[in-house]
Amino acid sequence: VLNVKNLGVLNVDDAYGRAFATGIQVAAQQFAPDMTIQSFDINPAASDEALRRTVCLLTDTQYTFFFGIIFPTELVDRVMVEAYKQGIAGTGKHNWVFADATGGSVPGRDYERGSPLEKAFRGTSMLSAVGGISGMEVYDKLTNSMKELNNEGDVEYMRTIMPTYEEGEPVDHDSVLYGDTFLSAAGLIAPFLYDSVISLGLAACDAAADNAEGTYFDGTTHFNRVLENQFLGTSGDVIFKETGTRDPKSALFSLTNFIDDEELSTDKTVQYKRVEASV
């Protein structure tokens, strides 16, 4: 969709980052075989010199599209400031897209106007999985059902089953349970959790039906039945690959751009807000 021919991937050097980067390579081989991808690891505790050398590897590719897989810590800011210094961020020609773990931390912060960090994040984007959109039949049913739960009786019941702890500060559940936005939308996580439970349940029924002597089944049988099941869920057609991961053809993704939030920005600071892109 973005017509990217060359992509530089910068991933945190841990199991999550490496797996994510590998997944991009595998998906590109199947869906974009002409795309050239170069991936680079970065240690979460990288020294300034090590970080500079890693960003230099991205610069040397001469690519203009980069994908960042880094948790929202100080490391992200350090990487982007160095990318700005090396001329591959904040130029208007270079595009940085972040995984949702990183991108979610870009808006809602004050950036010093004119600073390298403010310029580096200008024009960046976030690619994230979406649990459904309004107009999808099953997604709308889940959203409406959640809204129906926001009544005095159900909310009071949920309040009684909220966890309490003998030690530490008391947890304020009421601010959430009685908040204006409680259960007003399905959000990002709920549709995936719902479809996961349904998938496991359907697979359990199928696995139990295979056993004429009772409802017992082992984990391998259950897993294989999960792979065989396909159904229309809240997040779309739920189809699994042989590894147990979601088939990307059955998943929805959104691209969000970060642009100036004029209402929250001042003469001295800049804040960015999310605007979903039309792709």
Side-chain angles (χ1 to χ4, degrees), residues 33-112:
D34 295 332
M35 181 186 293
T36 301
I37 299 176
Q38 293 193 54
S39 298
F40 304 93
D41 297 335
I42 186 165
N43 190 307
S47 65
D48 290 342
E49 178 58 23
L51 186 144
R52 186 195 67 78
R53 291 197 302 266
T54 300
V55 175
C56 189
L57 294 174
L58 292 172
T59 304
D60 289 344
T61 65
Q62 299 185 29
Y63 293 170
T64 57
F65 277 90
F66 302 101
F67 190 80
I69 310 168
I70 311 173
F71 286 110
T73 62
E74 180 188 4
L75 179 63
V76 179
D77 290 356
R78 294 173 60 209
V79 165
M80 294 307 293
V81 168
E82 184 60 36
Y84 174 78
K85 290 179 180 179
Q86 295 194 26
I88 59 170
T91 65
K93 297 180 180 179
H94 294 82
N95 301 272
W96 280 81
V97 181
F98 297 105
D100 48 11
T102 307
S105 68
V106 175
R109 296 172 55 189
D110 285 328
Y111 300 87
E112 181 183 352

Side-chain angles (χ1 to χ4, degrees), residues 149-196:
L149 289 173
N150 194 2
N151 61 76
E152 182 177 354
D154 286 323
V155 170
E156 183 58 31
Y157 171 73
M158 284 183 266
R159 187 174 186 273
T160 65
I161 61 175
M162 290 291 106
T164 57
Y165 306 95
E166 295 181 359
E167 299 179 357
E169 295 293 327
V171 180
D172 180 17
H173 299 298
D174 288 356
S175 63
V176 176
L177 293 172
Y178 296 99
D180 294 337
T181 61
F182 183 56
L183 297 178
S184 61
L188 172 64
I189 304 300
F192 291 117
L193 290 176
Y194 183 88
D195 286 348
S196 297

Side-chain angles (χ1 to χ4, degrees), residues 8-279:
V9 177
L10 180 65
N11 62 274
V12 65
D13 188 13
D14 63 10
Y16 167 79
R18 290 190 296 272
F20 203 139
T22 299
I24 292 175
Q25 293 275 5
V26 172
Q29 290 173 6
Q30 181 176 358
F31 300 106
D34 295 332
M35 181 186 293
T36 301
I37 299 176
Q38 293 193 54
S39 298
F40 304 93
D41 297 335
I42 186 165
N43 190 307
S47 65
D48 290 342
E49 178 58 23
L51 186 144
R52 186 195 67 78
R53 291 197 302 266
T54 300
V55 175
C56 189
L57 294 174
L58 292 172
T59 304
D60 289 344
T61 65
Q62 299 185 29
Y63 293 170
T64 57
F65 277 90
F66 302 101
F67 190 80
I69 310 168
I70 311 173
F71 286 110
T73 62
E74 180 188 4
L75 179 63
V76 179
D77 290 356
R78 294 173 60 209
V79 165
M80 294 307 293
V81 168
E82 184 60 36
Y84 174 78
K85 290 179 180 179
Q86 295 194 26
I88 59 170
T91 65
K93 297 180 180 179
H94 294 82
N95 301 272
W96 280 81
V97 181
F98 297 105
D100 48 11
T102 307
S105 68
V106 175
R109 296 172 55 189
D110 285 328
Y111 300 87
E112 181 183 352
R113 186 176 290 277
S115 67
L117 192 61
E118 181 258 314
K119 293 179 179 179
F121 277 115
R122 183 175 298 278
T124 58
S125 307
M126 175 178 67
L127 183 68
S128 57
V130 179
I133 58 177
S134 179
M136 294 172 58
E137 180 181 2
V138 184
Y139 176 83
D140 287 344
K141 286 182 178 179
L142 174 65
T143 300
N144 293 333
S145 296
M146 291 177 63
K147 291 179 179 178
E148 291 175 1
L149 289 173
N150 194 2
N151 61 76
E152 182 177 354
D154 286 323
V155 170
E156 183 58 31
Y157 171 73
M158 284 183 266
R159 187 174 186 273
T160 65
I161 61 175
M162 290 291 106
T164 57
Y165 306 95
E166 295 181 359
E167 299 179 357
E169 295 293 327
V171 180
D172 180 17
H173 299 298
D174 288 356
S175 63
V176 176
L177 293 172
Y178 296 99
D180 294 337
T181 61
F182 183 56
L183 297 178
S184 61
L188 172 64
I189 304 300
F192 291 117
L193 290 176
Y194 183 88
D195 286 348
S196 297
V197 172
I198 294 299
S199 178
L200 292 171
L202 291 174
C205 291
D206 291 341
D210 291 339
N211 188 351
E213 299 179 359
T215 58
Y216 169 80
F217 53 86
D218 58 27
T220 300
T221 301
H222 193 198
F223 176 73
N224 289 334
R225 283 301 191 176
V226 168
L227 300 185
E228 295 171 2
N229 267 325
Q230 297 183 18
F231 63 95
L232 180 60
T234 58
S235 59
D237 292 320
V238 179
I239 305 172
F240 296 102
K241 302 176 68 174
E242 63 276 4
T243 57
T245 59
R246 181 81 172 261
D247 188 323
K249 292 182 293 185
S250 73
L252 298 174
F253 295 89
S254 69
L255 183 67
T256 302
N257 292 325
F258 299 122
I259 66 172
D260 287 32
D261 189 330
E262 296 181 358
E263 293 184 359
L264 298 178
S265 297
T266 69
D267 292 340
K268 296 182 178 180
T269 62
V270 173
Q271 281 203 24
Y272 295 117
K273 64 180 179 180
R274 311 176 190 213
V275 176
E276 189 167 321
S278 177
V279 295

